[in-house]
């Protein structure tokens, strides 16, 4: 219905008789003619073959388990999603954990210091069969806490390690273990000191964890001749005069006048990232 204007077309043909696809063609070039059949796109869209109609369909990649997809202008970024931890730093003494430049999440586990045992009691037991002096109660175990926290990259986080309760002399209540913490994120108090009294030494209370997703109290120290209070990282059940042998475990007492109540074990911090 419209007259063909040969002179106008001739203006869009080069000297080799080839028509310009920029100026000599209108509309959308179909797939069958070598085109895409599409005219508009959003960031990250790809053309996917589609047997229905033998066409090309616009689609975007879908993130799966452990994979992230970021669609940009003319670009697609595929990366492993965060979730696992491949590195670990253990603090047995105070310090600072500085996050690497790519770290924005950490897992922290820690234990408070163990309490020391009460000193040996010089007063005999109340029943005749055991007239000898008895030991003080053992120290309680440090509390435990564990959690996963968002953190800032390339940032220092102070680490405090709770010391074990110091040893004491005879007929003296043991010392409480120190609190272990990482900045203000997470902490665990130390176990209580064992008690020396006139009949049986009484074990110290366990410490408590706070701030984590999992917070567990330390074990209560044993009474006279009982083992030191345990922690989530272990137990040491010696009934002799022995200092705490594991992180946060309570010390045990010694019998006799002046028998020392042994020190508790120091706490620990474990950072995974």
């Amino acid at each position: 219905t419209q007259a063909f204007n040969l002179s106008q077309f001739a203006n869009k043909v080069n000297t080799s008789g080839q028509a310009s696809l920029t100026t000599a063609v209108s509309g959308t070039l179909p797939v069958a003619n070598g085109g895409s059949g599409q005219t508009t796109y959003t960031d990250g869209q790809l053309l996917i073959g589609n047997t229905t109609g033998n066409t090309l369909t616009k689609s975007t990649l879908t993130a799966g388990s452990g994979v992230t997809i970021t669609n940009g202008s003319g670009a697609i970024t595929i990366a492993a999603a965060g979730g696992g931890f491949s590195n670990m730093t253990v603090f047995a003494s105070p310090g600072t954990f500085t996050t690497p430049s790519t770290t924005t999440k950490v897992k922290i586990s820690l234990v408070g210091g163990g309490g020391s045992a009460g000193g040996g009691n010089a007063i005999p037991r109340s029943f005749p069969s055991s007239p000898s002096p008895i030991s003080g109660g053992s120290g309680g175990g440090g509390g435990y806490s564990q959690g996963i926290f968002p953190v800032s990259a390339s940032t220092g986080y102070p680490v405090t390690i709770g010391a074990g309760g110091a040893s004491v002399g005879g007929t003296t209540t043991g010392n409480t273990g120190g609190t272990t913490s990482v900045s203000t994120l997470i902490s665990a108090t130390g176990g209580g000191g064992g008690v020396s009294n006139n009949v049986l030494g009484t074990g110290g209370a366990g410490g408590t964890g706070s701030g984590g997703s999992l917070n567990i109290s330390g074990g209560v120290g044993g009474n006279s001749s009982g083992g030191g209070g345990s922690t989530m990282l272990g137990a040491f059940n010696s009934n002799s005069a022995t200092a705490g042998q594991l992180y946060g475990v309570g010390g045990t007492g010694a019998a006799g006048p002046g028998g020392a109540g042994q020190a508790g074990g120091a706490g620990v911090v474990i950072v995974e990232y």
Side-chain angles (χ1 to χ4, degrees):
T1 59
Q2 183 174 351
F4 179 72
N5 189 325
L6 185 60
S7 63
Q8 286 183 343
F9 180 72
N11 292 334
K12 304 179 186 301
V13 177
N14 63 20
T15 57
S16 300
Q18 298 170 326
S20 169
L21 292 179
T22 301
T23 60
V25 178
S26 64
T28 303
L29 190 62
V31 174
N33 291 345
S36 66
Q38 308 293 337
T39 58
T40 60
Y41 297 90
T42 59
D43 287 347
Q45 281 189 320
L46 300 173
L47 293 176
I48 307 296
N50 188 345
T51 57
T52 302
N54 192 33
T55 60
L56 292 172
T57 301
K58 293 181 290 186
S59 182
T60 55
L61 297 178
T62 301
S65 176
V67 176
T68 61
I69 303 293
T70 303
N71 294 312
S73 178
I76 300 173
T77 301
I78 303 174
F85 300 98
S86 57
N87 298 283
M88 176 187 293
T89 300
V90 178
F91 290 88
S93 58
T96 299
F97 176 73
T98 301
T99 53
S101 60
T102 58
T103 297
T104 57
K105 180 170 60 176
V106 296
K107 176 182 177 182
I108 303 174
S109 307
L110 52 74
V111 169
S116 63
N121 191 339
I123 300 177
R125 296 177 189 262
S126 58
F127 44 93
S129 61
S130 300
S132 62
I134 59 176
S135 63
S138 296
Y144 175 86
S145 187
Q146 180 186 91
I148 296 175
F149 304 90
V151 292
S152 299
S154 302
T155 301
Y157 290 83
V159 173
T160 300
I161 301 298
S167 175
V168 299
T171 322
T172 304
T173 296
N175 291 301
T176 298
T179 296
T180 298
S181 65
V182 176
S183 187
T184 58
L185 299 176
I186 185 172
S187 65
T189 62
V195 177
S196 177
N197 58 29
N198 291 340
V199 181
L200 288 175
T202 304
T208 58
S210 63
S213 299
L214 178 64
N215 300 296
I216 298 177
S217 296
V220 176
N223 294 337
S224 295
S225 299
S230 62
T231 76
M232 281 293 292
L233 299 184
F236 186 73
N237 291 320
S238 170
N239 57 8
S240 62
T242 308
Q245 300 293 296
L246 301 171
Y247 293 125
V249 170
T252 56
Q262 298 296 303
V268 69
V269 168
I270 302 169
V271 183
E272 299 172 69
Y273 57 99

